């Protein structure tokens, strides 16, 4: 019985600690707040944190990155299902129009980044609907 209990605990530990994320986040977290917002606040973030989002063909998306950096570096890039980099965000705003409707993966890369960030995106359809409200 002890052998099976140990095995169950070991498997649970591996599932909890190795969830596909290659990162170390100390004193905080990164999460998806709403369908178009990612938020991170931490004492230190090193590694890569990634999540997928669905983008539609022919729709223009406006991405805005706000970050508060006390030290270190934070960047992000988006890749398609074949793990080809779709775009890399080099400044605080970017407009993009995908050629195919599919799920794309947003990758946040931290190098001893201390501080916080918020990534927000809005489609051109959302902008139009907000004008009429």
């Amino acid at each position: 019985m002890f052998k099976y209990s140990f095995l169950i605990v070991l498997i649970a530990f591996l599932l909890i600690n190795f969830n596909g994320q290659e990162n170390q986040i100390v004193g905080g977290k990164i999460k998806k707040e709403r369908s178009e917002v990612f938020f991170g606040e931490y004492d230190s973030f090193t590694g890569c944190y990634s999540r997928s989002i669905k983008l539609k063909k022919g729709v223009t998306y406006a991405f805005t990155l706000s970050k508060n950096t006390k030290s270190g570096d934070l960047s992000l890039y988006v890749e398609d299902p074949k793990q080809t980099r779709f775009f890399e965000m080099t400044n605080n705003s970017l407009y993009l129009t995908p050629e195919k409707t599919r799920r794309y993966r947003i990758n946040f890369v931290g190098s001893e980044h201390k501080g916080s960030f918020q990534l927000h995106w809005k489609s051109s359809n959302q902008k139009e609907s907000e004008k009429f409200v």
Side-chain angles (χ1 to χ4, degrees):
M1 184 67 180
F2 174 74
K3 185 171 29 174
Y4 295 117
S5 298
F6 177 75
L7 187 59
I8 291 171
V9 170
L10 179 63
I11 290 171
F13 174 78
L14 291 174
L15 289 174
I16 291 170
N17 289 303
F18 301 106
N19 61 2
Q21 301 300 315
E22 302 170 8
N23 61 51
Q24 180 182 13
I25 301 171
V26 178
K29 60 186 166 186
I30 298 174
K31 65 179 182 172
K32 189 172 183 181
E33 281 194 327
R34 297 186 309 266
S35 60
E36 299 89 19
V37 178
F38 281 101
F39 175 78
E41 186 173 34
Y42 37 74
D43 293 331
S44 179
F45 166 49
T46 297
C48 183
Y49 177 89
S50 59
R51 289 289 184 254
S52 66
I53 62 170
K54 186 173 184 178
L55 301 178
K56 295 180 180 179
K57 173 185 175 180
V59 176
T60 300
Y61 295 88
F63 286 81
T64 305
L65 177 65
S66 303
K67 61 182 176 177
N68 174 14
T69 300
K70 296 175 185 173
S71 67
D73 188 43
L74 177 73
S75 62
L76 70 91
Y77 65 93
V78 175
E79 60 188 10
D80 65 15
K82 296 178 183 176
Q83 297 183 334
T84 303
R85 285 193 184 192
F86 189 61
F87 76 84
E88 189 160 348
M89 197 163 207
T90 54
N91 55 23
N92 293 338
S93 63
L94 174 77
Y95 293 90
L96 97 107
T97 307
E99 294 179 6
K100 293 183 179 180
T101 297
R102 58 171 57 161
R103 295 197 72 77
Y104 294 88
R105 185 163 287 281
I106 296 180
N107 297 286
F108 299 91
V109 181
S111 177
E112 297 182 13
H113 186 253
K114 296 177 193 237
S116 61
F117 73 87
Q118 182 176 31
L119 176 68
H120 180 265
W121 65 96
K122 189 183 297 190
S123 71
S124 57
N125 295 345
Q126 289 173 312
K127 289 180 189 175
E128 291 173 12
S129 65
E130 288 175 0
K131 289 179 185 176
F132 296 113
V133 175

